[in-house]
Amino acid sequence: MDSENFILIEHYCEQTQTPIDFIEDLLEYGMIEVQLIENKTYVKSHYIMEIERIYRLRQDLGINMEGIDSLNHMLEKINRLERELKLLRNRLTIYEH
């Protein structure tokens, strides 16, 4: 296992002043996944940007976890639709020339 891809949650929270309860909320809503290694909880490094984005939504804008969960679902749908639109536009260009 490549330990460089994992960040100890306890260390992250200490360094960023992020409450552990917030990380637990993210887990409860399935917004991040953690890994238990030797009785310590780690998060994959690619989740750090997501944790920080969600924390800003909650702290700066006062959006609750239910609202953030809804926003995430809408953003996923928008991204999926954008990918589909790009694919369809690419197919259309074949017939335009």
Side-chain angles (χ1 to χ4, degrees):
M1 177 173 0
D2 186 6
S3 62
E4 292 179 24
N5 290 330
F6 291 95
I7 296 170
L8 182 63
I9 291 285
E10 184 179 305
H11 179 71
Y12 172 80
C13 289
E14 184 179 299
Q15 293 297 315
T16 61
Q17 311 277 311
T18 304
I20 270 290
D21 294 348
F22 175 72
I23 302 297
E24 291 169 357
D25 288 345
L26 295 177
L27 284 169
E28 183 180 323
Y29 281 88
M31 295 180 193
I32 63 169
E33 295 176 12
V34 296
Q35 184 80 30
L36 252 160
I37 304 170
E38 297 178 7
N39 293 326
K40 295 192 179 205
T41 308
Y42 291 82
V43 65
K44 286 190 175 184
S45 59
H46 72 268
Y47 281 115
I48 296 300
M49 285 179 56
E50 183 70 2
I51 291 170
E52 292 173 352
R53 181 184 71 82
I54 294 170
Y55 191 71
R56 284 191 307 273
L57 287 172
R58 187 167 175 184
Q59 292 302 111
D60 297 346
L61 300 177
I63 301 173
N64 63 19
M65 292 307 287
E66 292 83 4
I68 292 170
D69 191 38
S70 294
L71 282 172
N72 281 342
H73 287 291
M74 285 190 293
L75 286 171
E76 287 172 15
K77 188 170 187 172
I78 288 169
N79 288 334
R80 189 174 60 248
L81 290 170
E82 285 177 341
R83 286 191 303 273
E84 184 179 341
L85 179 61
K86 183 178 179 180
L87 176 70
L88 293 172
R89 281 184 176 162
N90 288 339
R91 285 184 185 170
L92 260 173
T93 58
I94 294 171
Y95 299 106
E96 289 177 348
H97 294 117

